[in-house]
């Protein structure tokens, strides 16, 4: 756009998360309110390299606040981690007179944002991932909605589990993080949770299932994170074979956890972060992520975000066991 106005590019990258659209809407409307242009980049970093750009006006982001997914679409781009991909992307940004870029996504996407920062691009990250594995923010956009989806599913599964006195194995997402499984353990009252951060102890699992049966529980709920060291199918076979009282059934929740209308919490968080991302650029701040700290949204250096690993709080893991009595 050659009208002399400050032009912000915006993209969503990696796994989609409910609330991404709310963040896009907030950023676009804040920018427009401050006399800036916004260009939507389609298909994440792939679209940045290919120059897939689309000017965004206020009406283009109408009716999307409540929609899951991302109107800009997303990708897991193989070319962007390479310098040649980044150079090409910067060339396309210059051709489009883009002055800055807002990247909405998870750890990998924010790593891409930091690479651009190091190459002199004014970049702002907004954390969005259902896994909640991003350092520097209490919670990422999409996590709350995913937890509510899991809660709804597990509540339903418990009804049928109790009716048949079964052990139900439920697999949540979380390739590298046990956050969703662990929190689901608390909010859904699971007997056992299995997470990538803690090696599974088969004897301990068997003892807990048998104990639940002996104590007269009508069901046993076992929540297994996708990335734990035991596959849900193997676990079900093991419990069946050991004849611990309960017969087993299993449900893999899968990508249903990534979809759906964002919760009130996610809409609010995404809106606040979208506004803050544009305000950062107006204040001359860049190379940062918007992070929720206490009650406020702060700027967290992207370098710190990608150089630190967020760990799950094992207090919650212990809490699941205490509350399962
Ligand atoms: O969004 C993060 C995540 O949900 C991981 O927990 C999961 O392993 C991964 O995405 C799967 O995503 P996809 O099937 O899109 O590669």
């Amino acid at each position: 756009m050659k009208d002399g106005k400050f032009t912000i590019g915006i993209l969503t990258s990696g796994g989609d998360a409910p609330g991404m659209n709310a963040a896009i809407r907030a950023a676009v409307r804040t920018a427009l309110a401050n006399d800036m242009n916004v260009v939507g980049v389609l298909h994440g970093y792939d679209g940045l390299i290919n120059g897939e750009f689309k000017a965004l006006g206020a009406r283009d982001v109408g009716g999307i606040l409540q929609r899951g997914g991302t109107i800009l679409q997303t990708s897991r781009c193989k070319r962007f981690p390479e310098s040649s991909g980044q150079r090409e992307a910067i060339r396309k940004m210059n051709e489009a007179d883009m002055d800055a870029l807002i990247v909405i996504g998870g750890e990998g996407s924010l790593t891409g944002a930091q690479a651009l920062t190091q190459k002199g691009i004014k970049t702002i990250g907004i954390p969005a991932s259902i896994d909640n594995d991003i350092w520097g923010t209490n919670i990422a956009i999409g996590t709350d909605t995913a937890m509510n989806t899991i809660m709804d599913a597990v509540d339903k599964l418990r009804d049928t589990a109790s009716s048949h006195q079964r052990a139900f194995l439920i697999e949540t997402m979380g390739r590298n993080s046990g956050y969703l499984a662990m929190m689901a353990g608390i909010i859904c009252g699971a007997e056992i949770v299995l997470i990538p951060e803690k090696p599974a102890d088969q004897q301990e699992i068997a003892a807990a299932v048998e104990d639940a049966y002996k104590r007269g529980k009508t069901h046993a709920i076992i929540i297994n994170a996708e990335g734990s060291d035991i596959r849900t199918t193997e676990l079900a076979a093991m419990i069946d074979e050991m004849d611990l009282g309960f017969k087993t059934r299993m449900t893999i929740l899968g990508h249903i956890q990534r979809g759906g209308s964002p919760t009130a919490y996610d809409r609010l968080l995404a809106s606040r972060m979208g506004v803050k991302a544009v305000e950062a650029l107006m204040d001359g701040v860049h190379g940062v992520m918007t992070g929720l700290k206490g009650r406020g949204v702060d700027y967290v250096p992207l370098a710190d975000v990608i150089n630190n690993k967020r760990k799950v709080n094992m207090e919650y893991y212990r809490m699941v066991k205490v509350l399962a009595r």
Side-chain angles (χ1 to χ4, degrees):
M1 286 188 200
K2 299 218 182 302
D3 56 10
K5 289 186 187 177
F6 192 87
T7 299
I8 303 174
I10 186 163
L11 64 80
T12 49
S13 160
D16 58 313
M20 279 181 160
N21 283 329
I24 295 167
R25 171 182 176 273
V28 168
R29 292 196 173 165
T30 305
L32 295 177
N34 289 283
D35 209 26
M36 300 173 181
N37 292 322
V38 185
V39 171
V41 179
L42 306 178
H43 308 119
Y45 287 115
D46 269 330
L48 198 63
I49 294 172
N50 297 335
E52 295 175 69
F53 302 149
K54 176 183 185 288
L56 293 177
R59 295 284 68 74
D60 295 312
V61 292
I64 66 168
L65 177 63
Q66 75 284 11
R67 278 169 56 192
T70 160
I71 58 158
L72 295 175
Q73 299 190 282
T74 183
S75 66
R76 296 193 192 276
C77 180
K78 295 255 181 337
R79 287 179 293 167
F80 198 74
E82 289 161 26
S83 255
S84 57
Q86 292 162 19
R87 267 199 309 275
E88 189 54 28
I90 291 172
R91 208 165 69 85
K92 291 291 186 342
M93 287 179 70
N94 286 336
E95 278 171 15
D97 288 320
M98 227 182 259
D99 298 296
L101 184 71
I102 295 176
V103 173
I104 307 172
E107 225 189 348
S109 312
L110 297 169
T111 303
Q114 171 61 3
L116 286 176
T117 300
Q118 284 175 323
K119 287 188 156 56
I121 302 295
K122 295 185 175 79
T123 315
I124 306 286
I126 297 183
S129 165
I130 66 161
D131 292 341
N132 205 28
D133 56 352
I134 303 167
W135 191 90
T137 186
N138 293 351
I139 192 158
I141 294 167
T143 304
D144 185 65
T145 306
M147 281 198 296
N148 276 281
T149 301
I150 295 168
M151 185 174 72
D152 192 42
V154 177
D155 284 352
K156 287 175 176 159
L157 292 170
R158 194 198 290 98
D159 288 346
T160 173
S162 297
S163 305
H164 288 266
Q165 206 166 25
R166 282 174 174 155
F168 248 87
L169 293 109
I170 301 156
E171 185 176 303
T172 63
M173 272 191 166
R175 194 171 12 204
N176 302 309
S177 165
Y179 185 90
L180 285 177
M182 204 171 65
M183 292 311 183
I186 295 170
I187 62 176
C188 304
E191 273 62 42
I192 302 161
V193 297
L194 301 161
I195 57 177
E197 292 82 354
K198 182 146 191 335
D201 177 337
Q202 301 198 0
Q203 281 186 339
E204 199 184 317
I205 299 167
V209 172
E210 196 169 31
D211 191 48
Y213 189 82
K214 282 187 192 151
R215 280 185 292 127
K217 288 207 171 193
T218 53
H219 59 257
I221 301 290
I222 301 158
I223 301 186
N224 188 24
E226 176 190 356
S228 86
D229 61 359
I230 186 156
R231 299 293 8 100
T232 308
T233 39
E234 284 169 30
L235 199 56
M238 180 192 100
I239 294 171
D240 268 338
E241 233 166 69
M242 290 175 114
D243 195 16
L244 302 170
F246 297 110
K247 288 283 168 223
T248 64
R249 289 290 186 274
M250 62 168 211
T251 299
I252 295 173
L253 297 178
H255 288 77
I256 199 167
Q257 294 160 94
R258 284 237 295 259
S261 181
T263 56
Y265 186 92
D266 271 330
R267 292 181 201 194
L268 189 58
L269 181 67
S271 300
R272 291 175 74 196
M273 288 189 171
V275 170
K276 192 76 174 179
V278 175
E279 283 178 355
L281 292 169
M282 284 160 56
D283 290 344
V285 176
H286 43 82
V288 298
M289 178 189 83
T290 56
L292 183 70
K293 294 265 179 73
R295 293 176 67 182
V297 178
D298 278 356
Y299 303 138
V300 186
L302 278 168
D304 292 350
V305 172
I306 65 165
N307 288 323
N308 285 289
K309 271 259 153 279
R310 184 190 170 110
K311 294 198 180 104
V312 292
N313 183 346
M314 294 305 283
E315 275 300 310
Y316 291 115
Y317 183 82
R318 288 186 279 277
M319 197 186 286
V320 175
K321 289 193 173 177
V322 172
L323 300 184
R325 262 156 230 278

